[in-house]
Amino acid sequence: MQPIIIVLIILVVLVFIALIKTIQVIPQASAAIVERFGRYTRTLNAGLNIVVPFIDSIRNRIDLREQVVPFPPQPVITQDNLVVNIDTVIYYQVTDARAATYEVASYIQAIEQLTVTTLRNIIGGMDLERTLTSREEINAALRGVLDEATGKWGIRVNRVELKAIEPPTSIQDSMEKQMRADRDKRAAILQAEGVRQSEILRAEGEKQSAILRAEGEAKAAALRAEGEAQAIRTVFESIHAGDPDQKLLSYQYLQMLPKIAEGDANKLWIVPSEIGDALKGLSGAFGNLGGGMPGFNTGNKGNGSNGTVERREEPPVD
């Protein structure tokens, strides 16, 4: 009885193993390559699949999701013979599991080497300045070449990105100095523009101030002249309204004589004839002023004419 039990146990184990090999569960967004006696038979898609045990075998399981592969920095020589290190990132997706398995031994390594060679060809036709400022152009050119080459491998390159472009240290120092000089230049230009604008605004302000000051002075002078004219007119009207007599006028003339005689340098004055008439008018009240004023000699050359008054200097008395 024991040999029969052992055989039954072996059969149960074989049946269990056969069931396990017969039922294949493939996860979502994955695929499996099935070979029968070493030859490709079919591709298993996501879900429950049944294969012939011990005859069919799973060659490879492939993830159909988009993959991201960063590549290490690669030294690339530009057109002006400068070595730059470029980091790249490739976004790809397997579209044909059979081609990705049988058309290329290792599609990851193939994509990496193709990226390096293509990148060197593209950068070799650009100088350093264009390389640093043409990331989009480099990405588009690299993606086009990779997508065309990897299509027969069942790979679709969705996107290529340059993570970093690192020029030599000496070039970086020179670029920093150049950028610093450009910033200093722009700062100096902006400062000069500010000073120029400030001077223009100051000049405009002074011009407007001078114009307003001149207008104010002109208006003030006009108002002052108008006031003086009004004052003269008022005085004139007051005098005529008061109807002054000859004695009052003669007295006003006599009050003006000291002002005419002010100053040591005055030697000769032109005296209006009205003063002589005023002296004659007052001679009856104060005496003969013409003969009683020592040091003065008046002459009248007739009515309506002017006389001269000569100032005589008396010798000093010891």
Side-chain angles (χ1 to χ4, degrees):
M1 295 296 293
Q2 291 182 355
I4 296 174
I5 295 174
I6 293 174
V7 171
L8 291 176
I9 293 173
I10 292 174
L11 290 176
V12 171
V13 171
L14 291 176
V15 171
F16 182 75
I17 293 173
L19 289 175
I20 292 176
K21 287 184 174 292
T22 300
I23 299 173
Q24 297 291 332
V25 178
I26 306 300
Q28 184 67 32
S30 298
I33 302 298
V34 178
E35 292 181 348
R36 178 170 295 177
F37 299 113
R39 184 178 180 180
Y40 171 76
T41 302
R42 60 193 174 109
T43 301
L44 301 181
N45 297 320
L48 181 64
N49 296 273
I50 297 177
V51 298
V52 179
F54 306 107
I55 296 176
D56 294 339
S57 61
I58 303 298
R59 166 68 185 272
N60 191 13
R61 295 178 183 268
I62 297 177
D63 193 346
L64 299 180
R65 295 173 297 179
E66 186 175 7
Q67 304 293 321
V68 180
V69 178
F71 295 144
Q74 299 294 329
V76 181
I77 300 177
T78 62
Q79 188 178 12
D80 47 358
N81 297 324
L82 294 175
V83 179
V84 295
N85 294 322
I86 299 180
D87 296 350
T88 55
V89 178
I90 303 297
Y91 297 82
Y92 73 93
Q93 186 176 9
V94 178
T95 58
D96 189 352
R98 177 184 175 278
T101 302
Y102 295 105
E103 295 296 334
V104 62
S106 175
Y107 55 84
I108 297 296
Q109 186 177 1
I111 292 175
E112 180 180 1
Q113 296 302 319
L114 184 60
T115 300
V116 172
T117 55
T118 306
L119 194 61
R120 288 177 178 174
N121 291 333
I122 296 173
I123 301 299
M126 298 181 178
D127 56 8
L128 179 61
E129 184 176 359
R130 185 181 175 188
T131 301
L132 295 175
T133 57
S134 303
R135 289 175 177 261
E136 294 296 332
E137 181 181 354
I138 297 173
N139 293 338
L142 187 59
R143 178 182 178 277
V145 174
L146 291 176
D147 197 15
E148 182 181 358
T150 58
K152 62 181 181 179
W153 300 340
I155 307 296
R156 182 177 68 246
V157 177
N158 296 327
R159 193 162 58 255
V160 179
E161 296 292 340
L162 301 182
K163 289 198 303 183
I165 301 176
E166 298 179 357
T169 306
S170 59
I171 301 300
Q172 291 182 3
D173 295 338
S174 300
M175 293 172 62
E176 290 178 359
K177 291 179 181 179
Q178 182 179 1
M179 289 187 295
R180 191 179 303 111
D182 291 339
R183 287 193 296 267
D184 294 340
K185 178 182 177 181
R186 290 195 297 268
I189 292 174
L190 292 176
Q191 184 177 2
E193 288 291 337
V195 172
R196 175 175 172 270
Q197 189 68 23
S198 176
E199 293 294 334
I200 291 175
L201 293 176
R202 186 181 297 109
E204 289 290 337
E206 292 177 354
K207 176 183 176 182
Q208 294 295 330
S209 177
I211 292 174
L212 294 176
R213 191 182 300 110
E215 291 178 354
E217 292 177 354
K219 291 181 180 180
L223 293 175
R224 194 182 303 111
E226 184 177 355
E228 292 178 356
Q230 185 66 29
I232 293 172
R233 190 180 301 111
T234 303
V235 172
F236 181 78
E237 291 177 355
S238 299
I239 292 174
H240 283 273
D243 193 14
D245 56 1
Q246 186 64 29
K247 294 180 181 181
L248 178 61
L249 294 176
S250 300
Y251 179 71
Q252 292 293 331
Y253 282 135
L254 288 177
Q255 287 184 335
M256 292 297 297
L257 284 178
K259 295 183 178 180
I260 296 176
E262 288 179 355
D264 296 335
N266 294 332
K267 302 295 183 180
L268 185 67
W269 307 288
I270 304 298
V271 180
S273 59
E274 286 80 358
I275 295 180
D277 296 337
L279 293 176
K280 291 180 180 180
L282 292 175
S283 60
F286 297 98
N288 191 3
L289 296 178
M293 294 179 65
F296 291 92
N297 185 17
T298 62
N300 191 359
K301 296 181 180 181
N303 294 331
S305 62
N306 294 333
T308 60
V309 177
E310 182 178 1
R311 181 177 178 179
R312 297 178 181 178
E313 296 182 357
E314 297 293 337
V317 179
D318 294 335

